[in-house]
Amino acid sequence: MTESEAFLECRCGACRITLCDPTVRFHIECLCFDCRQRGLISASKNPGNSLPDAVANFERGVDLVYFANALTVDEASRELLEFSKLRADAFNTTMMSTCCGTLLCGTHPLYEGTTISVNTDSCLVTTSSNMSLQVVVFACDIPDEHAAPLVRRSTVPVIFSFSEEFESPAIKEFMSAVTAPVSASASATATTNFEKLCAAKPLTIDNAYFIESRAGKP
Ligand SMILES: [Zn+2]
Ligand SMILES: [Zn+2]
């Protein structure tokens, strides 16, 4: 591996996505219902994919890092990509591997096409870049008895409602990071991006585990 080589890999190793910019743009933990639901869907695909205990028990959120949306993917890996939304009107689109049900990455319209999110609890990430956790979001989606101790323990800001705290410094930094343009060098080496890969495949709507993902806070 060269120093600058960075890639996402599924849990069985059959599917790999090369990141043309290895730099971690941002690092959050997300406690939202939908991240939990995606984790439960992935867990149903393969016995090794269960939620980490700390996530299952509301002790922390799903670990998410963000990268520039500039990618290269070989043909064998492209064959293994599946794209889905939880609901037809959902904002997030998720890229999953069909070989083993790994959550590889996702997009949201807020990122304006420049950024992908990567769930490091599911996807294996190789990069020389690193960023410490910046913020925990969507504490409104976990039971109050877990949210209170989580806030007390946390060394970074904990945001309850993303929309109500949109002007907070942590969210402003997040928005700035995930809307930053793709660098010229990454653009020059990229042969594809999330949207192009998605356009080549059918988009599945899979709302499995909706009830289970919300069962902690009905
Ligand atoms: Zn796999
Ligand atoms: Zn989330």
Side-chain angles (χ1 to χ4, degrees), residues 24-41:
V24 175
R25 297 188 143 201
F26 215 72
H27 181 186
I28 71 170
E29 279 180 17
C30 187
L31 295 159
C32 86
F33 292 137
D34 286 354
C35 281
R36 196 172 189 83
Q37 187 177 358
R38 283 185 281 274
L40 292 171
I41 291 171

Side-chain angles (χ1 to χ4, degrees), residues 181-197:
V182 175
S183 72
S185 61
S187 293
T189 52
T191 56
T192 192
N193 62 27
F194 188 100
E195 287 73 19
K196 287 181 190 168
L197 292 165

Side-chain angles (χ1 to χ4, degrees), residues 106-210:
T107 55
H108 188 289
L110 279 177
Y111 313 157
E112 299 175 353
T114 71
T115 298
I116 55 170
S117 61
V118 179
N119 173 341
T120 72
D121 290 328
S122 183
C123 181
L124 306 173
V125 182
T126 297
T127 176
S128 55
S129 172
N130 197 10
M131 181 188 281
S132 63
L133 180 66
Q134 301 295 305
V135 61
V136 177
V137 298
F138 284 108
C140 57
D141 279 3
I142 66 168
D144 297 340
E145 67 266 31
H146 293 287
L150 191 148
V151 169
R152 278 199 300 275
R153 275 197 314 274
S154 184
T155 54
V156 299
V158 178
I159 301 289
F160 276 74
S161 163
F162 203 88
S163 53
E164 284 171 27
E165 295 168 71
F166 205 70
E167 293 302 318
S168 69
I171 298 303
K172 281 186 166 171
E173 280 171 35
F174 170 79
M175 286 308 303
S176 166
V178 300
T179 56
V182 175
S183 72
S185 61
S187 293
T189 52
T191 56
T192 192
N193 62 27
F194 188 100
E195 287 73 19
K196 287 181 190 168
L197 292 165
C198 183
K201 299 267 182 167
L203 181 67
T204 307
I205 306 296
D206 182 358
N207 200 25
Y209 297 93
F210 179 85

Side-chain angles (χ1 to χ4, degrees), residues 56-67:
N57 299 332
F58 305 105
E59 287 159 14
R60 70 164 172 87
V62 167
D63 193 73
L64 297 174
V65 294
Y66 294 79
F67 290 99

Side-chain angles (χ1 to χ4, degrees), residues 10 12-14 97 99-100:
C10 72
C12 80
S97 67
C99 42
C100 59

Side-chain angles (χ1 to χ4, degrees), residues 45-79:
K45 308 276 184 187
N46 208 36
N49 292 2
S50 53
L51 293 181
D53 286 346
V55 174
N57 299 332
F58 305 105
E59 287 159 14
R60 70 164 172 87
V62 167
D63 193 73
L64 297 174
V65 294
Y66 294 79
F67 290 99
N69 184 16
L71 312 170
T72 62
V73 190
D74 68 21
E75 197 48 47
S77 290
R78 283 177 195 240
E79 288 292 315

